[in-house]
């Protein structure tokens, strides 16, 4: 019951984003990170954002109301 309530009141439920677009953006971010060989802070930031996009896309696919 707690999981259902948590899902109903989740602030992520109302995100208006296309999961496929988030994954495409993550792919572009990773390509950009690859072009910045040796700049570890930039590589880390880009790959962290790409990871967040993929995780959010998975969440939206799983929990979005149809």
């Amino acid at each position: 019951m707690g999981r259902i309530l948590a899902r109903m009141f989740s602030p992520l439920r109302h995100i208006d984003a296309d999961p496929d677009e988030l994954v495409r953006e993550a792919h572009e971010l990773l390509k950009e990170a690859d072009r910045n060989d040796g700049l570890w802070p930039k590589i880390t930031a880009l790959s962290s954002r790409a990871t967040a996009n993929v995780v959010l896309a998975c969440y939206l696919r799983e929990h979005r109301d149809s």
Side-chain angles (χ1 to χ4, degrees), residues 6-24:
R7 222 182 291 157
M8 284 175 50
F9 295 107
S10 171
L12 297 176
R13 214 174 130 217
H14 303 289
I15 292 176
D16 186 28
D18 178 20
D20 293 330
E21 185 59 38
L22 288 170
V23 173
R24 277 191 288 277

Side-chain angles (χ1 to χ4, degrees), residues 3 8-10 18-19 23 27 29 31 36 40 52 63 66:
R3 296 181 87 196
M8 284 175 50
F9 295 107
S10 171
D18 178 20
V23 173
H27 184 257
L29 289 167
K31 287 195 310 189
N36 288 289
W40 289 105
H63 298 293
S66 299

Side-chain angles (χ1 to χ4, degrees), residues 34-61:
D34 192 40
R35 286 192 290 266
N36 288 289
D37 188 30
L39 299 173
W40 289 105
K42 189 167 185 177
I43 293 170
T44 302
L46 290 167
S47 34
S48 295
R49 186 167 165 214
T51 301
N53 278 9
V54 171
V55 170
L56 181 58
C58 291
Y59 178 88
L60 290 174
R61 281 194 180 129

